[in-house]
Amino acid sequence: MAKRNAIILAAGKGTRMRSKLYKVLHQVCGKTMVDHVLTQLEKAHIENIITVVGFGAKTVEESLGHRTRYVLQKQQLGTGHAVMQTKDILGDIDGETIIVSGDTPLFRAETFEKLFQYHEQRHAAATILTSVAPDPTGYGRIVRNDVGIVERIVEQKDANVQEQAIKEINTGVYCFDNKKLFAALNKINNDNAQGEYYLTDVIGILKGEDEIVTAYKMDDFDESMGVNDRVALARANKVMRNRINKHWMQEGVSMIDPDTTYIDADVTLGRDTVLEGNVVLKGKTVIGNDCYISAGSRIIDSTIHDGVKITSSTLESAEMHNGSDIGPNSHLRPEAEIGENVHIGNFCEVKKAYIGEGTKVGHLTYIGNATLGKNINVGCGVVFVNYDGTNKHHTNVGDHAFIGSNSNLVAPVNIAKDAFIAAGSTITDSVEQYDMAIARARQVNKKDYAKKLPW
Ligand code: UD1
Ligand code: CA
């Protein structure tokens, strides 16, 4: 089979985004637009992928890494000029080249596959991927002759009134016979409304040379959407979100209100997990089976095992093992690891700490820089005092210890297993097994003294 190549056009600044961030780096469901395009091309088994970079070249290259080769377009003189920059690499290759814009994040690998097949079956020099837009404004229009054969593409700004009425648009994706593409590119000029070298002019040129030019019309306009401004970005996010949610529901996840459930592209979920509305799952989060995640939860880059219950809480780079629960209104910060069947209740914060199986942390507690064993009871309002103003220090608490309410454990300190800390203690010295530590002023009751007070 002939060699398949791909070019991603990602050199533009994206003026219409009005952003300091380069257009193709704006995210759709937690992943940059250009990464979505690259991911789908990879899925379509294309060996040779070249990304044309220009504005923000370094940032784009850093974000995609070695998954693609790069070519620099120093000046952004148009999409045709952008493709020409790949000539040194691709110009002499026999085979087909697919071109995709970095600002069309919704295309699926299957569509690219179908485009290749359509193109190959017809032995075409060029095949345009088209769709029918409810509102074609801004897109290049597909001009067909009386018998429906593609003649050329006309850009919005160059189109006359009749052409502007055409609803079939150029999605910006094409499949070309590679050598014919580069030969035709030599013939384009910038004699148009935008003074740019349009890639789209190649179609009319090939047509004029009696080459076979075809168009593969896809059914789903949404998939072909190009993002030029923030309004389209929000719309693309919505389309992608619906697609992701549908996928996970089909995989066995229940969603009470999919319209308000926000799952990033790289998140994974297990069966029989239930998500209430207004749940946000971001980054590389992994959620197991049989979990229940309530409204108002936000989970970023975290690993949640099976049967975990999360109620209106925020988790960042944390891990929760089987059967544990948290919330409402608690916060796991980076490197918090919650063991099996641990209970974390209301208004607790845990950072850089391991909490062993069966331990309970019910209310209003801060745990930072600590290792807790199994079956410990941490009372209400306990503070692990981990910071001396300069350094962070570690606290260890052994299995089955009891930490009374409103205690401060001033690190570094060790509480042995089976130790008991009386409520209200400020612990600065280690406590041995079976000892009870009480560290607070003794209470004095003054007989009838309240009567003398002005209250
Ligand atoms: C382009 C097409 C239009 C099509 C639409 C689909 C042309 C002339 N027009 O228009 O027919 O309907 O896409 O979304 O091709 N880029 C470069 N270098 C440049 C210019 C652009 O790399 O010099 C990149 C951009 O970063 C972008 C892509 O090419 O990813 C498309 O450019 P853009 O300016 O968005 O083209 P459209 O006006 O959307
Ligand atoms: Ca565009």
Side-chain angles (χ1 to χ4, degrees), residues 311-362:
T311 309
S312 307
S313 290
T314 299
L315 280 67
E316 302 163 84
S317 303
E319 182 167 3
M320 291 183 74
H321 290 277
N322 294 351
S324 56
D325 76 286
I326 187 168
N329 304 309
S330 282
H331 187 182
L332 298 184
R333 291 172 47 209
E335 295 180 61
E337 185 178 347
I338 309 303
E340 286 190 16
N341 301 316
V342 166
H343 166 66
I344 311 260
N346 312 260
F347 300 102
C348 295
E349 176 179 340
V350 182
K351 183 217 75 172
K352 203 170 184 170
Y354 175 81
I355 300 185
E357 188 180 335
T359 287
K360 291 185 166 55
V361 185

Side-chain angles (χ1 to χ4, degrees), residues 16 23 103 227-228:
R16 291 165 281 183
K23 177 163 71 176
D103 65 351
V227 174
N228 294 323

Side-chain angles (χ1 to χ4, degrees), residues 81-378:
H81 179 258
V83 174
M84 263 190 264
Q85 309 310 304
T86 66
K87 194 176 177 181
D88 285 349
I89 300 180
L90 291 177
D92 296 330
I93 294 179
D94 279 319
E96 280 114 36
T97 297
I98 186 171
I99 299 178
V100 189
S101 295
D103 65 351
T104 49
L106 297 166
F107 281 112
R108 293 174 306 127
E110 299 87 79
T111 305
F112 295 150
E113 298 268 19
K114 283 186 197 157
L115 176 66
F116 269 123
Q117 277 166 23
Y118 191 95
H119 176 86
E120 282 163 7
Q121 281 161 6
R122 282 157 186 79
H123 305 287
T127 304
I128 313 161
L129 184 62
T130 73
S131 66
V132 176
D135 174 9
T137 313
Y139 289 94
R141 310 294 208 285
I142 307 299
V143 181
R144 292 178 183 262
N145 68 11
D146 300 345
V147 285
I149 292 179
V150 178
E151 289 286 315
R152 58 195 172 91
I153 299 172
V154 61
E155 289 304 299
Q156 169 80 33
K157 287 182 180 157
D158 302 289
N160 62 32
V161 179
Q162 285 95 323
E163 288 163 343
Q164 283 184 15
I166 300 170
K167 295 223 156 162
E168 187 183 4
I169 58 114
N170 168 28
T171 65
V173 178
Y174 326 76
C175 188
F176 287 101
D177 173 285
N178 189 61
K179 283 187 168 164
K180 288 177 180 168
L181 164 66
F182 286 97
L185 274 173
N186 282 332
K187 297 172 189 159
I188 62 173
N189 61 44
N190 62 354
D191 185 12
N192 54 52
Q194 303 190 78
E196 287 184 1
Y197 293 91
Y198 292 162
L199 173 60
T200 44
D201 284 352
V202 161
I203 298 300
I205 290 167
L206 289 171
K207 197 64 207 170
E209 293 172 348
D210 287 334
E211 295 288 356
I212 303 173
V213 175
T214 60
Y216 171 60
K217 202 192 287 180
M218 54 194 284
D219 300 327
D220 181 9
F221 167 73
D222 281 348
E223 188 185 330
S224 71
M225 188 191 302
V227 174
N228 294 323
D229 60 25
R230 309 259 185 170
V231 176
L233 183 66
R235 208 177 295 142
N237 266 287
K238 193 170 183 178
V239 172
M240 183 69 81
R241 187 156 72 235
N242 288 341
R243 190 189 289 176
I244 291 169
N245 289 357
K246 187 173 168 196
H247 166 79
W248 289 116
M249 288 187 278
Q250 283 166 342
E251 289 292 314
V253 174
S254 283
M255 295 185 194
I256 307 299
D257 184 13
D259 289 343
T260 61
T261 303
Y262 304 84
I263 303 175
D264 274 358
D266 291 335
V267 170
T268 65
L269 293 118
R271 286 204 176 160
D272 293 312
T273 280
V274 180
L275 307 179
E276 291 185 355
N278 212 357
V279 161
V280 180
L281 306 178
K282 295 188 75 66
K284 305 264 180 248
T285 293
V286 176
I287 312 253
N289 300 321
D290 303 304
C291 293
Y292 193 98
I293 303 180
S294 92
S297 295
R298 185 177 166 85
I299 304 176
I300 304 159
D301 294 327
S302 295
T303 303
I304 311 300
H305 296 266
D306 299 336
V308 172
K309 189 170 182 200
I310 297 173
T311 309
S312 307
S313 290
T314 299
L315 280 67
E316 302 163 84
S317 303
E319 182 167 3
M320 291 183 74
H321 290 277
N322 294 351
S324 56
D325 76 286
I326 187 168
N329 304 309
S330 282
H331 187 182
L332 298 184
R333 291 172 47 209
E335 295 180 61
E337 185 178 347
I338 309 303
E340 286 190 16
N341 301 316
V342 166
H343 166 66
I344 311 260
N346 312 260
F347 300 102
C348 295
E349 176 179 340
V350 182
K351 183 217 75 172
K352 203 170 184 170
Y354 175 81
I355 300 185
E357 188 180 335
T359 287
K360 291 185 166 55
V361 185
H363 338 261
L364 300 159
T365 286
Y366 171 66
I367 299 177
N369 301 82
T371 307
L372 282 73
K374 298 176 184 173
N375 301 317
I376 294 163
N377 187 79
V378 178

